[in-house]
Amino acid sequence: MRDFVIFTFILLISISCTQTPAPEPVGPIPSERQLAWHQLEYYAFVHFNMNTFTNMEWGLGDEKPAQFNPTELDCRQWARVCKEAGMKGIILTAKHHDGFCLWPSTYTEHSVKNSPWKDGKGDVVRELADACKEYGLKLGLYLSPWDRNHADYGKPEYITYFRNQLRELLTNYGELFEVWFDGANGGTGYYGGANENRKIDRSTYYDWENTFKLVRELQPNACMFSDGGPDVRWVGNEEGWAGKTNWSILKRDDFAPGITEDRRDLQEGQEDGTHWLPAEVDVSIRPGWYYHTYEDHKVKTLPHLLDIYYHSVGRNASLLLNFPVDPRGLIHEKDVEQVLKLAEALKSDFAHDLAKGKKVTASNIRGNAKAFNAANVVDGDPESYWATDDGVNTASLTIDFGEPTPINRFLVQENILLGQRVQEFMLEGLIDNNWQTIANETTIGAKRILRLPNVVASQLKFTVLAAKACPVISNIQVYKAPKVLVGPDIKRDKDGLVTITGNDQGINLYYTTDGTEPDTSSNKFSKPFEVHKPSTVKAIVFDGESGMFSPVSTRKLDVSKAKWKVIGKLAKEKNISTVFDGDSHTGWRTKSALPVDFMVNLGETLNLQGFTYFPGQGRSSPGIILNYEFYTSLDGRNWKKAVQNGEFSNIKNSPILQEVTFAKQKARYIKLKALSPAFEDGHVGIAELGLITGS
Ligand code: FUL
């Protein structure tokens, strides 16, 4: 009898299975290694090597191993912080563009083995590999394809060298989860003393096919990252966001490391892509990738980090958050503080899933079979899913909370084993007995998290409006996240008037101008005030109702630009004075033949020790300078070169504020000579120019 029951049961299951087969996959699907990578979601980048000691973003390659000398290097501290922050792994810059190796490579003298650190006996990659093991983190390595130190760069011999180094990294440090190939390659460098410009053909020089084979052979489980994969793609910016529409598929063969003219395709993927190629959002916790003391007050604060999280993990991408480890060899206290705040905030945002176990109904269920039931999306099992009949590409799920429920987060996942399918969806809430639209969105993919306005809904309806084939949804979660106040914006105009603005309604703003921390006993901001001398303005938002404070916003202001006048040929150009109007959204750019001299009469003699350059942020032809010289003068006729061979390194990928210091000098006139543009369209320009003065 028992056997009969079991037999009938199996028979019924197989009948129901044959009657209702699972949906067929649509388009490219992830490989095993990509699936494992999708699980990680959030992991750390560490930029630490020669640049940490030379205060650069891109070293030229002429640095000496003697300069690498961390005093308290502790990879266990890195691992501990990453673990506490909820990250799953760490990717280290084993070699950056300057060619200095953090491991004692047998193929070069330009490495830790010739540095004073641990008398040349140290190996940072080994120490990190051990620390990751101890803390249960995965390890990834960045090996820069560009090497501004190596004499053979540009010749076929360098490719052998590059592969030899790769082989060392792939065989000596255990299992790697990711191998990171940067897209910056070719250009000026030291190159063993040649000091020249070496252009390479990005599509042929590296013979990537064979390098990829080597990685597959030695680390079959590692995902390879580059502008075009082959496993994980760059997201097309270094600001910390993926497109709202984000397909995990791309016409991979149209891309290669360094061939990325169409950034939008990287940000959004391509709906008709040929390969599964999900995006990774790489962004630094500070403006730069490497540590600079002058960025200690610019560590991204909680609201910004939350934006980054929701714009990466929440938009079907992974988040690779960088720590610029400092010259001691530690993740700086200020970075630790903020990343742990993020961890805490994420914990509270996703503390209590309001949809879990709630009643869910669907407008269509595939074959009316239990295997594809609506309730599968709230059962906490990532493998079960809701699917509709073939041909039913528009369908909805309704979650009944049972009572009016405050909500503001919606998380949804497709079963990507069957491809990425949803093209458009919407959310409606039953609010005061009326159905109201709360969101209209496009793609989902591995994970999509929406930050909704605060609403009180008794039911929530999720409707797939368009899909490539029947939708296959594995998970839905709903949350009510606590409010986070955003720090205020501090701006100074050309005449020295400072304005502080907050984002939220019904709040008060407090500030100080002497660098002390503001609180409710500080100056209350009511109208713009003047600041002409170098000062640090700090401001905070206070919400009287909740008693909550925002993070402190800090703005270091140097002398005001009230007396500045553009002189020379450019004086007559349209928009020219926007270059020092305190507004980085406005600026000037030109396509004139280079070099172009931008000259200013400062109206007074100042003690200069540097300048700042903020490049245009526009999407098309922003007019960014790559190479420059900077001059000063007391009379506007006799010029002294304060910076020669200047390079705003990495400005093409990361157009952030550049701070350049030089030997102290008195000047009444300054000249920024633009020598070459960052983009091939030939435009150069300035959004905002500033000075660094000293006593
Ligand atoms: C860029 C590099 O040029 C930067 O220096 C940094 O390593 C970043 C992650 O990628 O393209």
Side-chain angles (χ1 to χ4, degrees), residues 492-632:
R492 181 177 64 176
D493 70 8
K494 182 178 182 302
D495 301 319
L497 271 184
V498 174
T499 308
I500 302 176
T501 11
N503 250 352
D504 303 83
Q505 307 251 309
I507 44 150
N508 289 317
L509 300 163
Y510 295 91
Y511 70 95
T512 61
T513 53
D514 58 2
T516 56
E517 295 302 293
D519 57 29
T520 44
S521 63
S522 312
N523 302 310
K524 190 167 173 181
F525 178 77
S526 52
K527 61 175 192 320
F529 56 93
E530 287 185 35
V531 174
H532 293 285
K533 297 225 166 63
S535 323
T536 300
V537 179
K538 291 193 174 194
I540 200 158
V541 166
F542 176 65
D543 177 7
E545 204 179 295
S546 63
M548 274 166 54
F549 286 99
S550 74
V552 176
S553 299
T554 305
R555 189 77 198 261
K556 288 202 172 157
L557 299 169
D558 212 289
V559 285
S560 79
K561 303 166 189 173
K563 299 180 193 155
W564 291 23
K565 281 208 167 59
V566 179
I567 55 168
K569 265 204 214 146
L570 296 182
K572 288 194 211 82
E573 292 238 339
K574 217 173 121 201
N575 296 336
I576 198 73
S577 57
T578 58
V579 163
F580 39 81
D581 63 356
D583 183 354
S584 52
H585 295 102
T586 60
W588 152 88
R589 65 184 182 139
T590 180
K591 214 189 158 180
S592 329
L594 295 175
V596 172
D597 287 342
F598 178 78
M599 295 186 285
V600 181
N601 177 350
L602 303 173
E604 62 189 320
T605 302
L606 296 170
N607 289 314
L608 299 192
Q609 52 187 38
F611 75 98
T612 62
Y613 167 69
F614 194 80
Q617 305 287 302
R619 284 203 172 202
S620 73
S621 304
I624 298 182
I625 302 171
L626 175 63
N627 293 101
Y628 67 91
E629 281 167 354
F630 196 84
Y631 297 79
T632 63

Side-chain angles (χ1 to χ4, degrees), residues 45 47 58 96-97 142 180 182 184 238 282 289 650 653:
F45 220 169
H47 273 66
W58 283 2
H96 202 251
H97 312 328
Y142 172 124
W180 223 87
D182 194 87
E238 294 181 356
D282 62 321
W289 290 100
N650 197 32
N653 287 338

Side-chain angles (χ1 to χ4, degrees), residues 45-355:
F45 220 169
V46 167
H47 273 66
F48 172 73
N49 42 30
M50 192 50 90
N51 293 330
T52 314
F53 300 90
T54 52
N55 205 17
M56 313 261 290
E57 280 290 303
W58 283 2
L60 300 174
D62 61 351
E63 299 78 15
K64 301 278 165 280
Q67 290 169 273
F68 181 86
N69 195 13
T71 47
E72 297 170 49
L73 178 65
D74 183 3
C75 294
R76 297 181 68 242
Q77 185 249 7
W78 310 357
R80 195 167 59 243
V81 171
C82 293
K83 188 77 189 182
E84 277 173 31
M87 296 164 146
K88 299 282 169 46
I90 303 181
I91 301 181
L92 170 68
T93 49
K95 176 180 96 167
H96 202 251
H97 312 328
D98 56 62
F100 183 77
C101 301
L102 288 182
W103 78 105
S105 171
T106 48
Y107 300 99
T108 179
E109 293 306 307
H110 201 52
S111 86
V112 280
K113 73 181 175 201
N114 290 317
S115 78
W117 177 63
K118 295 201 164 173
D119 292 328
K121 308 256 169 354
D123 179 345
V124 187
V125 181
R126 165 82 51 232
E127 292 194 13
L128 182 61
D130 291 348
C132 282
K133 217 177 192 179
E134 182 183 340
Y135 284 89
L137 295 167
K138 295 186 179 294
L139 175 69
L141 293 172
Y142 172 124
L143 181 71
S144 169
W146 187 19
D147 190 322
R148 297 174 110 181
N149 174 263
H150 204 271
D152 287 338
Y153 184 79
K155 299 187 199 144
E157 289 81 350
Y158 172 74
I159 303 305
T160 309
Y161 171 76
F162 179 65
R163 291 197 184 133
N164 282 338
Q165 294 201 315
L166 193 55
R167 191 177 279 277
E168 287 181 321
L169 294 175
L170 298 175
T171 41
N172 295 334
Y173 300 96
E175 171 136 305
L176 303 180
F177 81 98
E178 193 166 316
V179 181
W180 223 87
F181 295 125
D182 194 87
N185 44 37
T188 56
Y190 170 73
Y191 303 127
N195 279 314
E196 57 190 14
N197 193 356
R198 294 193 179 166
K199 284 215 163 139
I200 50 125
D201 179 342
R202 291 188 170 132
S203 48
T204 56
Y205 176 56
Y206 287 98
D207 175 24
W208 282 111
E209 271 310 286
N210 282 308
T211 300
F212 293 163
K213 266 194 205 147
L214 185 69
V215 180
R216 286 283 189 258
E217 178 198 322
L218 299 171
Q219 292 277 349
N221 297 328
C223 277
M224 283 180 266
F225 165 98
S226 86
D227 295 332
D231 304 307
V232 177
R233 73 169 200 267
W234 184 43
V235 77
N237 67 78
E238 294 181 356
E239 290 157 14
W241 55 274
K244 272 168 132 252
T245 296
N246 183 15
W247 292 97
S248 283
I249 50 182
L250 200 78
K251 291 179 202 153
R252 191 173 77 181
D253 297 341
D254 294 350
F255 296 81
I259 303 186
T260 58
E261 285 314 317
D262 197 343
R263 302 277 170 99
R264 196 158 171 176
D265 283 339
L266 293 174
Q267 287 152 4
E268 300 191 347
Q270 295 167 314
E271 190 172 339
D272 55 353
T274 50
H275 292 80
W276 191 263
L277 199 47
E280 178 184 85
V281 170
D282 62 321
V283 60
S284 186
I285 196 161
R286 292 168 177 241
W289 290 100
Y290 280 94
Y291 178 83
H292 310 290
T293 321
Y294 60 75
E295 287 180 355
D296 279 353
H297 66 288
K298 290 191 178 165
V299 179
K300 294 183 171 99
T301 54
L302 178 63
H304 194 170
L305 291 172
L306 277 170
D307 282 348
I308 289 174
Y309 183 87
Y310 282 106
H311 293 165
S312 54
V313 176
R315 288 187 182 168
N316 187 32
S318 70
L319 171 55
L320 174 59
L321 182 65
N322 178 63
F323 296 112
V325 161
D326 69 22
R328 291 172 303 175
L330 299 173
I331 300 182
H332 193 278
E333 295 76 348
K334 288 191 191 275
D335 305 25
V336 175
E337 186 187 338
Q338 295 308 325
V339 82
L340 294 184
K341 280 196 179 156
L342 174 65
E344 211 177 291
L346 290 175
K347 240 186 229 154
S348 355
D349 280 14
F350 302 110
H352 180 53
D353 177 7
L354 300 160

